[in-house]
Amino acid sequence: KAGVTQTPRYLIKTRGQQVTLSCSPISGHRSVSWYQQTPGQGLQFLFEYFSETQRNKGNFPGRFSGRQFSNSRSEMNVSTLELGDSALYLCASSLQGPGYEQYFGPGTRLTVT
Amino acid sequence: AQTVTQSQPEMSVQEAETVTLSCTYDTSESDYYLFWYKQPPSRQMILVIRQEAYKQQNATENRFSVNFQKAAKSFSLKISDSQLGDAAMYFCAYRIHQTGANNLFFGTGTRLTVIP
């Protein structure tokens, strides 16, 4: 079974631009979560989608948004990029239910200049 | 608020030796899960081991085992017979047992170096 895939793997954007990152979960996984990883703040939860609905949200500004499609693929969008948005963005998928592990993708490295 | 603390930013171990990574957490929940994830230089986060809070028996996965002390809110990872491939960042993580609350709370990580 294929793992979680994320595209693109690397991205360079300019301050003020917007960006969209994509995540394809493991087949059969309907829950997709997004995390931001930075050297200063560590790993922080952004949001989770399940069955096309945002089910949980971390403490991030409204510039960070996401969505999930009927095939469970998910996208996250960051508008009006700031230098501090430079980070590794990780996507994780899991089966429904609190007892299931999250499987992570390789991440998208976003650099904002 | 749930917090996870890893007090060892860096650790090193000789190949074939044993090393223990520490993790403490703070929660008011009684039912939850604890995890250790490994992140090698390739950045892919890999689950090493998990522990359900309601289970008193410590989880074991081959060379990896945990020491779960629920009352002390402590969850350490022991790596036996360390191998060069064990070199990575190790993150301790916590999640409550609740449908719809899939988010993980991570510690700041411990960088493990394996010395040949």
Side-chain angles (χ1 to χ4, degrees), chain A residues 9-10 31 35 37 43 45 48 55-56 88 94 98-102 104-106, chain B residues 33 35 37 39 43-45 47 50 91 95 97-104 106:
Chain A
R9 294 291 307 277
Y10 301 90
S31 169
Y35 295 85
Q37 185 176 20
L43 279 151
F45 171 74
E48 182 207 357
R55 187 161 70 172
N56 210 354
L88 179 66
S94 72
Y100 293 103
E101 295 94 17
Q102 293 189 31
F104 284 82
Chain B
Y33 298 89
F35 306 86
Y37 279 90
Q39 189 178 39
R43 305 185 322 221
Q44 184 94 33
M45 194 81 76
L47 178 66
R50 59 174 274 172
F91 292 95
R95 189 180 81 209
H97 180 100
Q98 179 182 315
T99 298
N102 229 9
N103 49 306
L104 292 162
F106 285 93

Side-chain angles (χ1 to χ4, degrees), chain B residues 65-80:
Chain B
S65 61
V66 299
N67 183 5
F68 173 47
Q69 302 289 329
K70 191 173 185 179
K73 297 181 181 175
S74 170
F75 182 61
S76 61
L77 173 69
K78 185 172 82 172
I79 306 174
S80 304

